[in-house]
Amino acid sequence: MKNEKLSLKGTLWRMIRDTRPIRSWLILSAILSMGIIACAIATPELLGKLIDQLYAWLKTDKTSSLIEALAPGLLILFAVFCANAGITYGNHYLLNNVVSRFYTAGLRIRMSDKLQRLPVSYMDKTPVGDIIEKMQEDVSTMGNSIHGILEILLTGFLQIFAIAVFMFLQSWLLALAVLAIMPLSLWLSSKLASLSEKSWDSSYTYFGKMYAAVEESYTNFPATKAFNLENHVQAHHDKINAEHQEVARKANFLMYIVQPIIAFTNALAYILIALLGGWLIVYRSVSVGTVVTVILFAKQLSAPLERIASGFGELQMVKAAAKRVYDVLDLKEEERPTEELQGKTEGNICFEHVDFSYSEDKPLIEDLCIDVKKGQNVAIVGPTGAGKTTIVNLLMRFYDLKGGRILIDGQDVASLSRDSTRELFGMVLQDTWLFKGTVAENVAYGKPEATREEIIDACDRAYCDHFIRTLPQGYDTVISEDTTTISAGQKQLLTIARALLANKQLLILDEATSNVDTRTEILIQKAMDKLMKGRTCFVIAHRLSTIVDSDLILVLNHGKIVEQGTHQELLDKQGFYYEIYTSQYAI
């Protein structure tokens, strides 16, 4: 069954199936709920008997005191109230702890695991804020609803059934009067609740947009300040807020209008049985205690009815949240072959008639053929959008081919596990990535078991040991991507040290010197020369001065190789590469 067609019943059953890890605790909660219902049923019975005892005492010669007559019943009633309070507290404490620790946390873990197995294209197309909203708000809504579902399906309906039975035992006529209006209340509740479904769907969609907008505004905070776009960002937020407010207002109105309507209809029933009860006392000799007992039962009946009524509205909200969560959990995962690369990695890579496009209607790479030998330094150049970074994405198995195949040492990578393929590559990218941790931990990211001596040696070969030792705590200085005490060039040197330490046979360098000054570029270039020695390297560059010594230069345009050769060979041809190269040095 597809999620977009998932009914409320289907959603609830799926949520209940997902509670399997906490099923034993829910059974215990159900048993406690039975105790709560028993206390609720016993209270009107005990009060009715007390009133009959009081009535009898008033009509007798009062040989015993009123306290003596009522004390046993009052003590039992007090014990029932205490038991009800204790069981209710224990039940809520149990559910709050179990649901939060196991159900809600379990759903978030499942979503996190699922995201790890989804294609990179999903992350490319989905705003980070929207994913966070689903994992935070939507899962919380589902977790909070478990209490409500139990109350509606178990406590609510079971309590109504028990109350109805006991009312019929007291007086079938009064019981019929009370229950006559109940079908109308339930029908009205479900009808109003169903009207709110579309509004809740829209509300959570706007919630996701708001998370995405907030995440984007803080991620790009420096740019917002630099271009004085605070008012523009504020207007964008206000627009989404206003749209969300409108749909949320309608959804909340339809959800919360149900309870007062049910309360009104229950009040009418309450008046009806009070009048009918008075008539029965006068003309049918029904005891005052019986009428009071039924009236108290009717009062108790209104509570589960109102809870069920409001629950219908809340369930539509839960359905909207659950649909978004299950949409993620039901996404098609990447194929996960398990075969490993046979033998030691040599580093021979071959693209055979590779076709690829990000969208079906816009072909990007067509019939691409590349043959790279072990230890070759291959540079990939071309204008923006030519497909340079796409080649890297295909090598790393971030995307699957539309046609053709890629071979590593003669083995088709499509048959290999993605983990084993990515394990072969070291990477130094244009955008440096550092996590919050010490310098040593950042350098050792690709080899967590590395010793301090190995980390220092890698940094020394990457020309960053000197500046690291000038930091306040040296290699134990805590840094992150947002650290301003080290420059962009120094961050890049750290990523090169990371790649040196990882010591992979295949290497990808994507615009590694594009964001640094000339002096730092020389250092980075020296570090990269050490890094590339003896390895098969793919170098993506716009700054052509950095790839003049490459063994092979591939010139891409519109996803096709239009020229290939060494730097001097391509200059002698005076073709497309010649135009790009001379344009960079034109006065």
Side-chain angles (χ1 to χ4, degrees):
M1 183 182 292
K2 293 184 178 179
N3 277 340
E4 56 266 20
K5 296 182 179 180
L6 197 63
S7 65
L8 177 60
K9 180 181 177 182
T11 302
L12 293 180
W13 276 118
R14 183 164 181 180
M15 289 178 64
I16 291 170
R17 288 198 303 271
D18 285 344
T19 61
R20 192 175 293 110
I22 59 172
R23 193 157 293 174
S24 58
W25 294 105
L26 294 182
I27 292 173
L28 176 58
S29 174
I31 295 172
L32 293 175
S33 297
M34 299 292 186
I36 295 171
I37 293 172
C39 291
I41 297 299
T43 302
E45 287 279 350
L46 291 171
L47 281 171
K49 289 179 180 179
L50 279 173
I51 289 172
D52 278 340
Q53 288 174 1
L54 175 62
Y55 186 71
W57 184 84
L58 292 172
K59 293 180 67 175
T60 61
D61 56 1
K62 304 180 185 62
T63 54
S64 61
S65 68
L66 179 61
I67 299 298
E68 290 176 351
L70 300 182
L74 289 173
L75 287 174
I76 295 172
L77 188 62
F78 177 75
V80 169
F81 279 131
C82 289
N84 184 58
I87 295 172
T88 301
Y89 173 79
N91 196 26
H92 280 280
Y93 182 82
L94 170 69
L95 285 176
N96 284 332
N97 279 275
V98 170
V99 170
S100 298
R101 288 179 57 193
F102 298 104
Y103 179 79
T104 306
L107 267 180
R108 291 196 176 109
I109 291 171
R110 285 174 60 196
M111 288 186 73
S112 179
D113 290 342
K114 181 73 176 186
L115 291 171
Q116 300 297 323
R117 299 190 297 271
L118 291 178
V120 175
S121 57
Y122 174 77
M123 302 302 293
D124 287 344
K125 296 174 184 177
T126 309
V128 175
D130 190 50
I131 295 174
I132 293 173
E133 191 277 335
K134 289 176 181 177
M135 295 186 72
Q136 183 62 37
E137 298 296 335
D138 293 348
V139 172
S140 292
T141 299
M142 292 174 68
N144 293 336
S145 71
I146 294 297
H147 307 67
I149 291 173
L150 283 175
E151 287 188 351
I152 292 170
L153 296 181
L154 181 65
T155 310
F157 283 110
L158 191 59
Q159 188 172 351
I160 287 174
F161 176 77
I163 289 172
V165 169
F166 276 89
M167 280 196 301
F168 272 104
L169 292 175
Q170 293 290 331
S171 170
W172 66 269
L173 189 59
L174 285 172
L176 283 178
V178 173
L179 298 177
I181 203 166
M182 191 173 69
L184 175 64
S185 299
L186 293 176
W187 176 83
L188 191 61
S189 303
S190 61
K191 195 69 176 175
L192 287 172
S194 64
L195 295 176
S196 68
E197 178 182 356
K198 188 175 180 181
S199 296
W200 281 121
D201 282 335
S202 299
S203 177
Y204 277 101
T205 299
Y206 279 113
F207 224 150
K209 289 181 179 179
M210 177 52 64
Y211 264 78
V214 171
E215 186 271 336
E216 183 182 71
S217 65
Y218 281 109
T219 302
N220 300 315
F221 189 75
T224 302
K225 288 291 185 181
F227 290 95
N228 292 322
L229 291 175
E230 292 92 337
N231 291 336
H232 173 77
V233 171
Q234 183 65 47
H236 179 58
H237 287 187
D238 290 345
K239 182 175 181 293
I240 298 175
N241 262 325
E243 291 170 341
H244 177 248
Q245 183 181 15
E246 179 59 28
V247 295
R249 182 195 61 78
K250 183 177 179 182
N252 278 294
F253 174 78
L254 289 172
M255 182 174 76
Y256 290 114
I257 194 63
V258 173
Q259 191 166 353
I261 290 175
I262 300 305
F264 176 73
T265 56
N266 288 338
L268 292 179
Y270 191 69
I271 294 171
L272 175 63
I273 60 168
L275 295 174
L276 181 59
W279 182 82
L280 290 174
I281 291 171
V282 174
Y283 295 102
R284 295 293 180 89
S285 301
V286 175
S287 71
V288 175
T290 298
V291 174
V292 171
T293 300
V294 174
I295 289 175
L296 290 174
F297 272 132
K299 191 66 177 174
Q300 279 197 350
L301 191 67
S302 65
L305 271 177
E306 290 174 16
R307 191 161 58 244
I308 291 172
S310 62
F312 280 135
E314 291 175 8
L315 289 178
Q316 297 299 334
M317 176 178 67
V318 173
K319 180 187 174 184
K323 177 182 178 298
R324 287 165 55 81
V325 171
Y326 290 140
D327 278 343
V328 175
L329 294 177
D330 291 342
L331 285 171
K332 184 178 179 181
E333 299 178 6
E334 290 179 320
E335 294 182 5
R336 303 186 70 81
T338 57
E339 189 176 339
E340 302 290 327
L341 189 68
Q342 301 300 316
K344 183 181 178 181
T345 306
E346 296 293 331
N348 300 298
I349 297 178
C350 182
F351 283 66
E352 290 186 350
H353 307 289
V354 169
D355 296 328
F356 176 77
S357 63
Y358 290 105
S359 58
E360 296 294 335
D361 57 335
K362 293 181 179 179
L364 178 58
I365 292 178
E366 297 180 291
D367 197 31
L368 179 66
C369 295
I370 305 174
D371 191 9
V372 180
K373 301 301 181 184
K374 171 186 175 182
Q376 274 193 316
N377 179 358
V378 180
I380 305 172
V381 300
T384 300
K388 302 186 296 299
T389 302
T390 299
I391 290 178
V392 173
N393 289 338
L394 297 180
L395 274 173
M396 296 294 292
R397 301 287 307 281
F398 292 154
Y399 293 89
D400 289 324
L401 306 180
K402 302 296 182 184
R405 59 182 189 158
I406 299 174
L407 305 176
I408 297 180
D409 294 337
Q411 220 170 327
D412 189 350
V413 296
S415 65
L416 303 176
S417 70
R418 283 179 167 80
D419 290 344
S420 66
T421 303
R422 292 165 187 165
E423 184 67 25
L424 302 174
F425 289 89
M427 297 186 73
V428 179
L429 304 179
Q430 175 181 358
D431 297 322
T432 58
W433 181 79
L434 302 174
F435 61 88
K436 188 170 183 179
T438 66
V439 171
E441 290 170 341
N442 271 277
V443 173
Y445 185 72
K447 188 180 179 183
E449 73 279 6
T451 64
R452 179 57 67 97
E453 289 74 19
E454 289 175 321
I455 294 170
I456 293 174
D457 178 64
C459 292
D460 184 51
R461 287 186 289 144
Y463 301 100
C464 55
D465 177 68
H466 172 71
F467 88 77
I468 292 173
R469 294 185 184 278
T470 64
L471 296 174
Q473 284 84 39
Y475 281 86
D476 295 315
T477 302
V478 176
I479 60 172
S480 69
E481 185 63 34
D482 300 325
T483 298
T484 57
T485 54
I486 58 177
S487 68
Q490 290 171 331
K491 291 178 182 179
Q492 192 66 280
L493 288 171
L494 289 177
T495 63
I496 294 174
R498 180 189 291 168
L500 277 166
L501 183 62
N503 194 28
K504 305 297 184 181
Q505 183 59 35
L506 303 172
L507 186 64
I508 294 171
L509 305 173
D510 188 355
E511 298 287 354
T513 62
S514 61
N515 293 327
V516 297
D517 60 86
T518 306
R519 183 179 178 184
T520 307
E521 180 185 347
I522 295 172
L523 275 181
I524 291 176
Q525 194 62 52
K526 286 182 178 180
M528 288 198 303
D529 289 341
K530 290 184 179 180
L531 178 60
M532 291 187 290
K533 189 175 181 180
R535 295 179 171 87
T536 304
C537 303
F538 288 85
V539 182
I540 297 175
H542 280 120
R543 206 178 290 183
L544 301 186
S545 61
T546 61
I547 49 97
V548 294
D549 295 325
S550 298
D551 299 316
L552 177 65
I553 298 175
L554 304 176
V555 186
L556 264 65
N557 194 21
H558 300 301
K560 294 183 179 179
I561 297 177
V562 294
E563 291 177 349
Q564 59 180 305
T566 65
H567 172 69
Q568 192 58 50
E569 288 171 349
L570 293 173
L571 287 182
D572 292 342
K573 287 182 181 179
Q574 295 195 1
F576 190 56
Y577 178 82
Y578 177 82
E579 292 178 8
I580 298 173
Y581 185 78
T582 53
S583 67
Q584 290 193 4
Y585 299 97
I587 299 177

